[in-house]
Amino acid sequence: MFTITTNLLVGLVFARIALRGTQSVSPIVIGGTMLAIVLVGMVFNLLLGNLPHQSIWYAIGDNIHHVAAPLAVPLWWLLFSRHGALTWSAPFIWALYPLAYSAYTVIRAQFMPQGTGIYSRYPYFFMDADLLGWPMALANMAGIAIGFILFGMLAVAVDRWLAKRM
């Protein structure tokens, strides 16, 4: 679900850029979108990439959403986005996205019956409080948000460095 919402965000942001130009989207929105899709790719390829596919179409979809987009968006950001407008507070704003998603996931799970086997109330095993217990599941969710902040700080540093070079 996080993959879907993030790829939808990528589609919306880049549709607006295609229709109205880069200036029509705030650098903080572009940076946050770039960061979100990069972390989708990282989480999938580090934690979920070994999952079997039901068909070739699932494999193609996974590769588009988890490999192609996470490579294309930061490449576009590096080459074509305007740089120098990101502030050091941006990563904390960006971290609200995975935190809000985590809150939604936890609340939604409370209204669903407990699953068994591969059927879980949680979309990802590392968020599954039924499987891992609350302390570990919450620690994993916090870890994703901390990853947003740390990689966000790196993105701001790169953004500032690129602004000085241009």
Side-chain angles (χ1 to χ4, degrees):
M1 182 70 123
F2 191 81
T3 295
I4 294 166
T5 58
T6 302
N7 275 278
L8 179 60
L9 176 63
V10 167
L12 292 171
V13 167
F14 280 88
R16 182 164 179 109
I17 290 170
L19 293 172
R20 298 198 177 165
T22 305
Q23 303 296 332
S24 70
V25 182
S26 164
I28 196 166
V29 172
I30 295 172
T33 302
M34 181 272 300
L35 179 65
I37 197 68
V38 165
L39 290 177
V40 161
M42 289 178 65
V43 167
F44 178 81
N45 288 290
L46 294 174
L47 299 175
L48 304 170
N50 294 340
L51 299 175
H53 293 101
Q54 295 174 341
S55 72
I56 186 68
W57 301 112
Y58 282 94
I60 291 170
D62 267 351
N63 280 312
I64 290 169
H65 293 114
H66 299 106
V67 179
L71 291 173
V73 172
L75 183 62
W76 181 93
W77 180 78
L78 287 168
L79 297 174
F80 302 110
S81 186
R82 56 191 159 119
H83 295 288
L86 296 180
T87 65
W88 293 109
S89 62
F92 297 97
I93 295 167
W94 297 333
L96 295 175
Y97 176 41
L99 289 172
Y101 178 78
S102 295
Y104 160 76
T105 298
V106 167
I107 292 167
R108 181 181 144 265
Q110 302 316 302
F111 294 98
M112 297 176 66
Q114 261 189 318
T116 57
I118 62 168
Y119 301 102
S120 172
R121 302 186 296 173
Y122 299 90
Y124 303 105
F125 76 89
F126 52 85
M127 299 176 92
D128 192 335
D130 297 333
L131 177 68
L132 303 173
W134 282 105
M136 189 65 196
L138 291 174
N140 288 342
M141 291 178 220
I144 297 289
I146 291 168
F148 255 68
I149 293 168
L150 295 176
F151 280 96
M153 294 290 185
L154 178 62
V156 172
V158 169
D159 178 69
R160 288 171 173 233
W161 180 77
L162 287 170
K164 289 178 184 175
R165 293 189 44 88
M166 295 184 166

